[in-house]
Structures are given as C-alpha cells and as structure tokens.
Amino acid sequence: MRSYSLIAPAKINLYLEILGDRPDGYHELAMILQSIELADRVELRSLSTDTIRVHCNHPQVPLDASNLAYRAVELMAQQFPDVFARFGGVEVIINKQIPVAAGLAGGSTDAAAVLVGVDMMWQLGLTQPELQDLAAKLGSDIPFCIAGGTALATGRGEELSPLPDLDSLYVVLAKDRNLMISTAWAYQTYRAQFGHTYIRDAQSLESRAHRVHSGPMVNAIYTKDGTKIAQLLHNDLEKVVLPTTPQVLRLREAFQSSGALGTMMSGSGPTVFALCESEAQAQEVQQQVRARIPDPEVDFWITKFSNHGIQIVSTVS
Ligand code: ATP
C-alpha cells in the first residue's frame, strides 16, 4: 500500500479588494495572500478498489462529494482515467487543525494537498503550473495553496504573482467557536450594498489591479517592513461582516487596542488576526484580548508567517 503524508497550511489575507463583477458570476479581486504555519495534516492511501473515501477528525467537515478533498481526487480521476484504473481508488485522511468555515482556506488547502499527493502517488510528474491549472477548476484559492508563501492574487484569485518571502511576523488568530460565515453570503451581500461602486470596463479593472501590484502594500512586502504591512492591512468584506456580526466586531476592537502591529478579518471571516513582531508580543496580545473578552467560546491560535505551500513529509511504498 502506498501512502503519503502532507502538510497543508492555512492562509490569511493581508489585502482583499473587490474590484468588480466577472462574466462568470464571480468577483474580480485583488488580494495579497499569506501562508501561515497553522496547517492540516493530510494522509493519502491507495485502495485496491476504485472508490474514494474521506475521513476527518472534525465533525463539521463533510465526508461525501461535497468535501473539496474528495472533489480533488474525483477531478484527478476524470483527468487521468487510465491511470486511475491502473492505481485504483484513494483514501484521504484529514487531520483538521485549521478552523472550519473561518476564512482561512481550510478546505482549499486540503484539496491542494490531494492534488500534490495524487500526482506523486500516480507518478504523473505534473509541473506546479499544470497542478495549479487543475486546482483553478476546483476553487479560486487552491492554486495559491499549492505554492504558498506570499503572493498577489488577481482575477477570481487564481492568477498569482509571487512576492518575496516574509517569515519574521507572528500571527494571533481568534474565532468564536460556533460562528461560521458563508463566503457566498459575504460576497452577495457586498454586491447588494456596494455593487454601484464596481469598476465596469475591462481596461480600468486591469489598471486597478496593476496599481495594487505597484502600490504601498506590495512595496512594504518588498522592503520587509512589518510595521508598514500591519498598517496597510485591508479587507473590503469587513464592510459587510463587522456591522452584522458583533462577535467579529468585538474581536476586531479588542485586537485594535491590544498593542499588536495591526489587525484585520481574514477572507470572509469570522477569524480575526493580529500581526506581531515576536512570539512574546503575540502572547501578550492574546492575553490582552482574552482579558477583554473572557468568553470560553473564543479560541486563539499563535502561529507565524510561512514560506511554504503543500509539503510532502513522508512516503511509504
Ligand atoms: P475560504 O477561506 O477558502 O473561503 P473557509 O476557510 O472560509 O474557506 P472552509 O474551512 O474551507 O472555509 O469551509 C467552508 C465549508 O466547506 C465548510 O462549511 C465545509 O462544510 C465545507 N468543506 C468541504 N470540504 C472541506 C474540507 N476539506 N475542510 C473543511 N471544510 C470543508
């Protein structure tokens, strides 16, 4: 039995700007994505039958074809039917460490790990761009999750320009345990409230994305200026989530006065993160926020920026 064990890191958004609508119904975005060390562990095992099976230690993660990791195996089987017939089915065991429906790309990174692992298992020899093209068919964040690190993401998030590695910053994450926010709801609500501000013509969209690429946040990343990066954090989706979700607002306000370098909601939330220059500062910030919100339903994580996407940690033949 072949088996592969992979590390699948979460991401946070250092920047998320909604530029406009796309003909395919998605939004045109300009984002800066950052991998963090908080990660799921994904194990793949070959099966002697032609089935796909998913196991997960988290009760809220579906195990059927709605699991993104399941759909990643299905996609590979559709793309490479002869190889699938030769190697047989795949069992995916997800050890979930990334909070679910939290704006941290938990499902996307599991799917990215499956694409990388199945490529190895079936000895396909796909290049990273080939894997990323397949990934884009499954979900907008999955191409980024494969490569990881720091990147500017445009289009619906699948067009990536790598940025220099940043590994010195610490991150405190906080989330209400039972609160989940649907990404689809957040974008639809944004469209309903702010659709009138959308850029309509293709040329203006392109030049706006270009301006983000040459703008102050990318500049701060090139100069590795953590203080500046933290001051320039931006997320348009806060405009719809903060007014409707008091649990996110209270975390955002508590982090704001905690002495962290900066704070922002990640993706469509509800996770709020704060950037810190050291582990000691991260611990101090966590204590401050915990003292201000003594709610046992709020979970915290201290982690770091990571330069890695999906990593294979062990292989058994
Ligand atoms: P993103 O930041 O990419 O929008 P997210 O971090 O907000 O994603 P996920 O953790 O991916 O959200 O979960 C969103 C929904 O997807 C969950 O409610 C869950 O039902 C479903 N899901 C499907 N596959 C997975 C998976 N492998 N891990 C977690 N959730 C999954």
Side-chain angles (χ1 to χ4, degrees), residues 31-225:
M31 300 189 286
I32 297 172
L33 302 172
Q34 174 64 55
S35 299
I36 53 177
E37 287 185 354
L38 177 68
D40 288 346
R41 181 69 79 108
V42 178
E43 198 181 323
L44 299 186
R45 293 185 190 154
S46 58
L47 290 173
S48 48
T49 56
D50 63 355
T51 44
I52 301 168
R53 260 191 250 144
V54 176
H55 309 272
C56 183
N57 59 333
H58 194 298
Q60 273 145 351
V61 173
L63 304 177
D64 59 9
S66 65
N67 191 301
L68 270 175
Y70 187 109
R71 293 195 9 233
V73 183
E74 221 172 30
L75 176 71
M76 293 300 261
Q78 281 159 9
Q79 296 286 319
F80 306 100
D82 298 345
V83 189
F84 179 53
R86 198 163 72 241
F87 281 89
V90 179
E91 183 168 46
V92 182
I93 299 147
I94 302 168
N95 182 336
K96 180 69 56 191
Q97 300 298 319
I98 304 170
V100 176
L104 300 172
S108 298
T109 195
D110 294 345
V114 167
L115 295 177
V116 170
V118 169
D119 174 55
M120 290 276 292
M121 189 181 255
W122 293 354
Q123 298 161 13
L124 294 167
L126 298 174
T127 61
Q128 191 172 87
E130 285 168 339
L131 280 170
Q132 287 175 316
D133 282 350
L134 284 173
K137 293 179 198 287
L138 279 179
S140 310
D141 285 343
I142 307 176
F144 170 76
C145 292
I146 290 178
T150 312
L152 177 76
T154 53
R156 55 188 174 84
E158 84 293 11
E159 289 167 27
L160 300 172
S161 308
L163 295 171
D165 286 339
L166 293 170
D167 49 13
S168 55
L169 289 176
Y170 281 79
V171 185
V172 186
L173 302 166
K175 177 186 173 285
D176 273 69
R177 195 168 309 142
N178 299 313
L179 181 65
M180 296 189 188
I181 293 181
S182 148
T183 304
W185 170 85
Y187 279 100
Q188 278 159 17
T189 309
Y190 191 89
R191 181 183 283 120
Q193 288 182 19
F194 299 100
H196 62 281
T197 66
Y198 285 6
I199 302 171
R200 304 268 163 215
D201 67 291
Q203 209 180 345
S204 307
L205 276 172
E206 201 176 316
S207 74
R208 177 66 208 142
H210 200 75
R211 278 213 301 283
V212 174
H213 204 171
S214 55
M217 178 59 106
V218 171
N219 206 22
I221 291 170
Y222 271 98
T223 53
K224 298 188 191 286
D225 185 341

Side-chain angles (χ1 to χ4, degrees), residues 249-259 288-289 292-293:
L249 183 62
R250 70 176 180 171
L251 279 174
R252 194 59 177 72
E253 287 173 348
F255 273 125
Q256 195 80 52
S257 51
S258 68
Q288 295 252 354
V289 175
R292 201 166 146 171
I293 307 176

Side-chain angles (χ1 to χ4, degrees), residues 226-279:
T227 309
K228 199 84 205 199
I229 291 167
Q231 284 164 359
L232 293 167
L233 294 170
H234 175 83
N235 184 350
D236 273 341
L237 290 173
E238 283 202 338
K239 291 182 217 161
V240 293
V241 176
L242 295 188
T244 53
T245 323
Q247 300 98 315
V248 178
L249 183 62
R250 70 176 180 171
L251 279 174
R252 194 59 177 72
E253 287 173 348
F255 273 125
Q256 195 80 52
S257 51
S258 68
L261 295 175
T263 173
M264 191 58 44
M265 181 181 80
S266 184
S268 53
T271 304
V272 176
F273 68 87
L275 300 186
C276 299
E277 57 196 352
S278 65
E279 190 169 7

